[in-house]
Each structure stands twice: as structure tokens, then as C-alpha cells.
Amino acid sequence: QSTWGFLSTQLISWLVLNPHITIKKRCSNMSKLQITVIEARGLRSADWNGKSDPYVKLHWLGEKYKTNVIYGDLTPVWNEDFLVPWPDGQTKDVLEFQVYDYDALGSNDKLGFVQIGLPENIQPFHPFEGWYTLDMKGELRLRFLYIPSALGIAPSPTSAAGCPLPIPVPKQPDYSSGAPVPAPGLANGQASIVINI
């Protein structure tokens, strides 16, 4: 199986298993990084009741990503996915995750932050995760999945907006006249199925 065939299969599987993810820039040919903010533990208390109302925020390439607020919990579980653009050669930069305590009245209190640099040899469709120590107190559990764009294939024609142009579909032969219909996908006695994506 070719590299393209393997990665195409992985991409289709990922799309099927992640229908809830929204891509903000749908026409971008840029690679993506799926970030899953899983949970935290051992967070410091910022409220009078000995608890916190934590959420996680990430700033990346001019976009802001933020989890929901978990109220009254020092071991919150989010399990929220974010799909961010990941330009080629970006692996030397770092991602900074900030954890805050939500406060309906006044400013939100900082619970800690962590900077994470991804490995330079990150492999497509091979998720990795870990616990990362915050600078103040506690740990944050994150998962990363690199999703390449071009996969080594020449880019398709694009419009002025950078969106892929529709690919013409060849006209199918008319077999209504009684002409024999060839068996699809048969070659050397083996059946093959071709999926165009």
C-alpha cells in the first residue's frame, strides 16, 4: 500500500470519528493540528469555597481557542477538541496554554500556564499525549494529532479565494441501448474499489 493510500485511509477514518470538529478556515491548504484538552488535576483554589471554576485558553496565529468553564472543580475534565492551522516548519515554535478561574464579577484569576514545544519528527495521524506541569500548581493533560494537508501530492487547482475548484466528473457511457456493461474494477481477476476524495 502506497504512502498516499495509507494516509488517505487514516484521514477518512479520522473524519468519520470526529464529525463534531469545526474547521474555521475550510478553504485553507494548511496542515492542521488537532489539540485535545483532556483534563487537569491538582489546580490551586481561587474561590472562597476552596474550589475554582477553571477553563483553558490558547492563542495561536491570531485565533483564540477556549474550553468551557467547569464550575467548582479542582480536577476538571473537558475532553474538548480544537483544530488549529499548523504551517510547515512550525514545530520549533511553542504552544502556550493558560488556565484561568472564571469570575462572574471582576477579572478572572490565573491558575497557571505551560509552554509546549512539539517534536520536530512528529508523525501524521499518530496521536501522543501527556501530563504537563503548570507554572503555579497542578497539571494539564493534553493530546496532539498532526494532520498533513498536501501529503506530498501536487495541489489541485484553486479559486482566487484559495478554495479547491470542482473536479469535472467524466460522462458515463449510455448502456440503455443494450450494449454490454463491463464489470467495474476488475483487473487480473481481482476487484478493486477506487474512492476519490
Side-chain angles (χ1 to χ4, degrees), residues 3 5 33-34 36 65 69 82 88 104 114 144 161 166 168 172 179 183 185 193:
T3 301
L33 183 69
Q34 178 185 328
T36 304
Y65 306 87
V69 177
F82 301 94
D88 294 337
V114 60
F144 302 95
Q172 298 300 317
I193 301 176

Side-chain angles (χ1 to χ4, degrees), residues 36-49:
T36 304
V37 181
I38 304 175
E39 60 181 321
R41 63 187 179 190
L43 297 179
R44 75 178 187 87
S45 170
D47 295 337
W48 61 270
N49 60 359

Side-chain angles (χ1 to χ4, degrees), residues 6-187:
F6 169 76
L7 292 177
S8 297
T9 302
Q10 296 294 311
L11 178 58
I12 293 172
S13 300
W14 177 83
L15 291 173
V16 170
L17 295 175
N18 295 272
H20 58 289
I21 294 180
T22 299
I23 303 176
K24 290 187 176 181
K25 301 178 180 178
R26 296 182 183 276
C27 295
S28 173
N29 291 324
M30 192 178 297
S31 299
K32 301 293 189 294
L33 183 69
Q34 178 185 328
I35 302 172
T36 304
V37 181
I38 304 175
E39 60 181 321
R41 63 187 179 190
L43 297 179
R44 75 178 187 87
S45 170
D47 295 337
W48 61 270
N49 60 359
K51 301 290 185 178
S52 289
D53 305 319
Y55 67 92
V56 181
K57 184 165 63 174
L58 166 67
H59 292 269
W60 181 249
L61 297 182
E63 296 282 352
K64 297 179 182 179
Y65 306 87
K66 187 173 68 173
T67 68
N68 292 318
V69 177
I70 305 296
Y71 292 94
D73 203 333
L74 299 180
T75 56
V77 177
W78 292 283
N79 278 324
E80 294 188 37
D81 294 319
F82 301 94
L83 200 61
V84 306
W86 193 254
D88 294 337
Q90 202 74 34
T91 55
K92 293 184 179 180
D93 289 352
V94 297
L95 295 160
E96 182 173 298
F97 296 86
Q98 301 173 337
V99 185
Y100 287 92
D101 168 66
Y102 174 76
D103 194 345
L105 301 175
S107 60
N108 299 329
D109 298 318
K110 188 175 180 180
L111 299 180
F113 81 95
V114 60
Q115 291 182 331
I116 301 172
L118 300 185
E120 294 187 9
N121 60 342
I122 184 172
Q123 297 298 314
F125 301 107
H126 283 72
F128 63 96
E129 66 178 66
W131 286 96
Y132 300 90
T133 303
L134 301 174
D135 68 323
M136 300 181 73
K137 183 183 180 182
E139 296 175 296
L140 187 63
R141 185 183 175 196
L142 303 167
R143 181 187 301 122
F144 302 95
L145 177 67
Y146 173 57
I147 305 168
S149 56
L151 302 176
I153 304 299
S156 60
T158 58
S159 67
C163 300
L165 293 174
I167 299 176
V169 178
K171 184 178 180 180
Q172 298 300 317
D174 183 9
Y175 299 109
S176 60
S177 60
V181 180
L186 294 179

